[in-house]
Amino acid sequence: MPIETARLLLDTWQNSHWTAFRPLAQDPRVMRYITGGVPWSEEKIRHFVERQVSLYAERGFCRWRLLDRANGEFIGFCGVGLWGENLLPEIGWWLAPGHWGRGLATEAARCALRDIFERCGLPHIWSVAQVENTASRRVMEKIGLRFESTFQHEGVNLVRYEILHADDVRNAPIDV
């Protein structure tokens, strides 16, 4: 069930998509605020993709594959996954560096939020990022999430933003 925006296609995963995801998960620029720049192993990459397939089958949501509508190129992911020990529904995104600074993360995140609230009916979504990740924090604010707190997880300083219900995104335009 792909979802379209003006510039993007948000689509589900298949286990074989791990090879398209590998360059992203092994790019030190992308991983800067995820692992301090350390690339993921192939095993971790496969596990991530398998988890998205399972999550969608079990719960109807995932961190959607992002494809450029113009040419079908895989450019990243955006959507809701389960974060931390408490398995909090958390929206997140990664984009290939060649697609940074064009509003694509915001466009995808608005669309993913609308879907999670309207189709899946989740009442509350979090987003977590490293304190220094100002680009992700700007996206969080643009899509209507509000700063909640700073905290530490595994020795890393993080921020948590939240949105409590769909009213904050229903009237927001999907296109940027």
Side-chain angles (χ1 to χ4, degrees):
M1 175 192 116
I3 302 171
E4 294 185 22
T5 71
R7 300 179 290 174
L8 300 169
L9 183 65
L10 286 71
D11 203 359
T12 56
W13 296 82
Q14 295 178 9
N15 288 334
S16 61
H17 291 142
W18 77 272
T19 56
F21 179 54
R22 180 176 42 206
L24 195 68
Q26 293 185 335
D27 187 319
R29 297 168 295 175
V30 173
M31 302 309 288
R32 177 179 177 194
Y33 294 117
I34 309 301
T35 62
V38 177
W40 276 4
S41 68
E42 288 195 3
E43 179 181 342
K44 189 163 186 163
I45 293 166
R46 285 179 191 252
H47 178 73
F48 174 88
V49 171
E50 290 166 1
R51 180 69 187 129
Q52 301 320 301
V53 171
S54 297
L55 191 58
Y56 189 78
E58 294 165 10
R59 300 196 183 209
F61 60 85
C62 67
R63 298 198 192 270
W64 302 94
R65 285 185 322 128
L66 293 182
L67 306 173
D68 184 316
R69 270 189 65 185
N71 59 20
E73 174 189 5
F74 173 80
I75 63 168
F77 72 74
C78 179
V80 174
L82 300 175
W83 191 87
E85 300 82 35
N86 296 325
L87 300 178
L88 301 171
E90 189 254 354
I91 190 167
W93 43 83
W94 295 4
L95 287 177
H99 300 278
W100 292 353
R102 297 175 38 208
L104 295 171
T106 301
E107 183 176 330
R110 279 189 179 133
C111 185
L113 268 182
R114 184 171 287 161
D115 175 68
I116 204 73
F117 286 133
E118 293 178 0
R119 185 179 58 81
C120 299
L122 294 184
H124 185 257
I125 301 296
W126 305 88
S127 194
V128 175
Q130 288 189 17
V131 171
E132 300 84 11
N133 191 344
T134 57
S136 278
R137 293 178 71 173
R138 275 194 306 271
V139 172
M140 292 173 192
E141 291 165 0
K142 285 179 183 178
I143 65 172
L145 278 75
R146 291 177 192 84
F147 175 80
E148 184 196 73
S149 65
T150 58
F151 67 104
Q152 275 203 343
H153 180 74
E154 298 180 355
V156 177
N157 293 323
L158 301 173
V159 291
R160 181 172 39 228
Y161 281 66
E162 68 178 336
I163 190 165
L164 298 176
H165 50 75
D167 293 341
D168 293 325
V169 294
R170 274 209 178 101
N171 297 319
I174 290 176
D175 301 323
V176 176

